[in-house]
Amino acid sequence: MADIGGASEPLLPGDSASSWSRWWRRWCFSIPSPATSLRIKNGVWAELGGAVGDLGTYIPIVLALTLVNHLDLGTTLIFTAFYNAITGILFGIPMPVQPMKSIAAVALSASPHFTIPQIMAAGLSTAAVLFILGITGLMSTIYRLLPLPVVRGIQLSQGLSFALSAIKYIRYNQDFTSSTSSSTSSPRSWIGLDGIILALVALLFLVISTGSGDDQERNENGDLNHTRTRTCKPVSWIPSALIVFLLGILICFIRDPSILQNLKFGPSKVTITSISWDDWKIGFLQGAVPQIPLSVLNSVIAVCKLSSDLFPESTELSATSVSVSVGLMNLIGCWFGAMPVCHGAGGLAGQYRFGGRSGASVLFLAIGKLILGLVFGNSFVTILSQFPIGILGVLLLFSGIELAMASRDMNSKEESFVMLVCAAVSMTGSGAALGFLCGIVLYVVLRLREFNFSGLFGTRTKDDEVEEN
């Protein structure tokens, strides 16, 4: 952990840059057995609830890319199902698989909209950079040297951004076909199958069944205390997020019974994406360049730090292995037209918030995605297009708040100062990269203020003489 009062310590001890062979041996030996990774730690129902904890971000982006950019939903469901299953086994925690948000935002807002080859080129370019950073050990070096307040600032900004988007989902009608940004053209009706009252009922149900979140608190030293128990035990075992999600699916058929007629059975046809040189240029410059900093900070750095906070009893995630994981997923799937994905800290927070504690949680999600992808293919988008956006907002709200609360361990005013400046810059539209840069500069300036320049130039001040006496 980085200490404001002294020299920075590694966030991930022992994970330094190394050669390919050394990294490969370390990574292979750190892979837990499937029996260990998939051991249910919080009850089957709780793991099922955690499985849908990140769908508040997954569904809107996938739906928008499918409707606007003609992404094949069936292919994406099948590939992300395999991603979920494999990473759940390898990491042993509910590791999320989420869309690359910056690429999705650019693909939807560009005029004309990105084509599928351009989206895949952006995903492949980002994946190549993260894969190289991983296997060379550079990602681990970055992770070790980053000050903790800066990491917390990135987590806080992402969490609050999710929460603000969630409130807009609940209060206003959304148009995901124009951009991933919230469209607030008209207020949402209070009543109806996608009204504010329905969303508030779902929110109240989640609060009653899950309380304020985890049953862990921190003591005065900042260490996790596992002694606190839930105050509402009769309902704590309920897979609340899963129930809310299934309610949303039921409402889809009630809102438009004709969607049954538009469903076509069978998986999507597997095709190889042909990418031209122009597609590579557009995808890299417009899609990958803004996505790479976000992937490094939120998909690797923030995920590793959050996992050590949420699962202190488990082996810390290696920034190297997480970076390589993001790279390999996309270096394989993007060639077949699967949506570019990453591991998001918000998704991990959401799955943990609703009960996910092991790889079994995302394995359940993988099974569900695989069944839907094989049975309905791309036609499943007709169901998602009717899903109540207010309910998605409720799920996203809890994910964002859980992620933002990871920043509550800043114990000094200086740490909080760096964190809040980093978060504020990130949330003003400048992006996580500029917020990160400002946080680093501010952290270094604060360190320089404490440096003894008088000793460097051989001069003595009255304060130095008083200290000696």
Side-chain angles (χ1 to χ4, degrees):
M1 248 181 228
D3 184 5
I4 287 287
S8 298
E9 297 179 5
L11 290 178
L12 187 58
D15 190 15
S16 58
S18 61
S19 64
W20 164 260
S21 59
R22 183 179 175 185
W23 168 81
W24 179 254
R25 289 195 301 270
R26 186 195 311 125
W27 190 76
C28 286
F29 285 125
S30 67
I31 296 177
S33 66
T36 301
S37 300
L38 303 179
R39 183 183 298 121
I40 294 177
K41 302 177 181 178
N42 205 27
V44 174
W45 289 114
E47 299 285 2
L48 283 170
V52 299
D54 72 332
L55 295 184
T57 53
Y58 182 89
I59 290 180
I61 296 178
V62 172
L63 178 61
L65 290 175
T66 302
L67 294 176
V68 177
N69 303 90
H70 307 294
L71 180 80
D72 192 283
L73 179 60
T75 300
T76 292
L77 286 173
I78 292 174
F79 272 91
T80 54
F82 284 117
Y83 300 157
N84 279 130
I86 294 173
T87 54
I89 294 173
L90 292 181
F91 295 112
I93 64 173
M95 179 65 82
V97 174
Q98 294 187 311
M100 288 189 176
K101 301 175 184 63
S102 182
I103 291 178
V106 172
L108 291 163
S109 60
S111 182
H113 298 305
F114 270 24
T115 63
I116 292 299
Q118 291 168 350
I119 294 175
M120 299 307 132
L124 288 166
S125 301
T126 304
V129 172
L130 265 67
F131 183 77
I132 293 173
L133 289 175
I135 63 172
T136 58
L138 292 175
M139 186 67 77
S140 291
T141 301
I142 296 172
Y143 182 48
R144 289 188 305 109
L145 296 178
L146 278 184
L148 180 60
V150 177
V151 178
R152 292 304 192 210
I154 297 299
Q155 291 176 315
L156 179 61
S157 65
Q158 289 292 312
L160 292 180
S161 295
F162 284 169
L164 292 174
S165 296
I167 297 299
K168 292 178 182 179
Y169 285 7
I170 295 172
R171 292 189 58 193
Y172 300 98
N173 294 314
Q174 305 300 310
D175 182 13
F176 294 126
T177 61
S178 59
S179 126
T180 54
S181 302
S182 300
S183 174
T184 58
S185 57
S186 61
R188 188 177 301 281
S189 172
W190 280 89
I191 59 176
L193 295 177
D194 193 11
I196 296 178
I197 292 180
L198 174 67
L200 294 178
V201 170
L203 190 151
L204 182 62
F205 169 69
L206 291 175
V207 172
I208 292 174
S209 58
T210 66
S212 60
D214 187 39
D215 58 356
Q216 300 176 0
E217 285 185 334
R218 293 182 183 272
N219 57 30
E220 60 273 11
N221 297 322
D223 299 324
L224 285 173
N225 185 342
H226 298 265
T227 59
R228 184 183 177 190
T229 57
R230 298 180 189 272
T231 59
C232 195
K233 288 185 176 180
V235 295
S236 62
W237 60 270
I238 296 176
S240 51
L242 180 62
I243 291 175
V244 170
F245 176 72
L246 292 178
L247 173 64
I249 293 294
L250 177 62
I251 291 175
C252 292
F253 294 97
I254 297 176
R255 294 178 68 185
D256 185 9
S258 65
I259 60 178
L260 289 172
Q261 303 174 3
N262 297 324
L263 291 175
K264 298 179 181 179
F265 296 98
S268 301
K269 183 180 179 181
V270 178
T271 58
I272 303 295
T273 303
S274 177
I275 305 176
S276 67
W277 175 244
D278 288 337
D279 294 332
W280 282 110
K281 289 192 296 184
I282 294 174
F284 176 77
L285 295 176
Q286 299 184 32
V289 169
Q291 178 64 51
I292 290 171
L294 182 62
S295 292
V296 171
L297 295 172
N298 186 55
S299 303
V300 181
I301 304 298
V303 165
C304 291
K305 189 67 193 80
L306 183 63
S307 69
S308 66
D309 296 332
L310 300 179
F311 304 96
E313 71 286 351
S314 302
T315 303
E316 289 185 346
L317 290 184
S318 163
T320 296
S321 58
V322 175
S323 184
V324 170
S325 173
V326 175
L328 287 177
M329 287 191 302
N330 294 283
L331 289 175
I332 296 173
C334 285
W335 287 109
F336 298 93
M339 173 187 64
V341 294
C342 58
H343 301 306
L348 178 58
Q351 288 170 328
Y352 183 90
R353 178 62 173 75
F354 292 114
R357 296 295 185 274
S358 69
S361 182
V362 288
L363 180 62
F364 292 144
L365 179 61
I367 294 173
K369 287 181 179 179
L370 186 61
I371 292 174
L372 293 175
L374 293 176
V375 174
F376 298 112
N378 196 54
S379 67
F380 188 68
V381 70
T382 59
I383 296 178
L384 290 186
S385 62
Q386 296 298 324
F387 198 94
I389 304 302
I391 288 182
L392 288 179
V394 171
L395 295 175
L396 182 59
L397 176 64
F398 281 85
S399 300
I401 295 299
E402 184 69 27
L403 177 58
M405 285 196 298
S407 62
R408 68 188 185 276
D409 63 348
M410 294 290 95
N411 297 319
S412 71
K413 189 172 182 179
E414 288 186 348
E415 289 179 328
S416 300
F417 181 53
V418 174
M419 175 190 70
L420 292 174
V421 170
C422 180
V425 174
S426 299
M427 293 187 64
T428 56
S430 304
L434 185 57
F436 165 78
L437 180 61
C438 291
I440 291 293
V441 171
L442 184 59
Y443 180 85
V444 172
V445 171
L446 291 174
R447 298 278 62 73
L448 291 176
R449 288 185 72 251
E450 300 175 1
F451 188 76
N452 187 5
F453 289 99
S454 61
L456 180 64
F457 295 102
T459 59
R460 296 168 59 84
T461 64
K462 292 183 178 180
D463 292 337
D464 294 332
E465 295 176 357
V466 171
E467 289 180 1
E468 290 182 0
N469 294 330

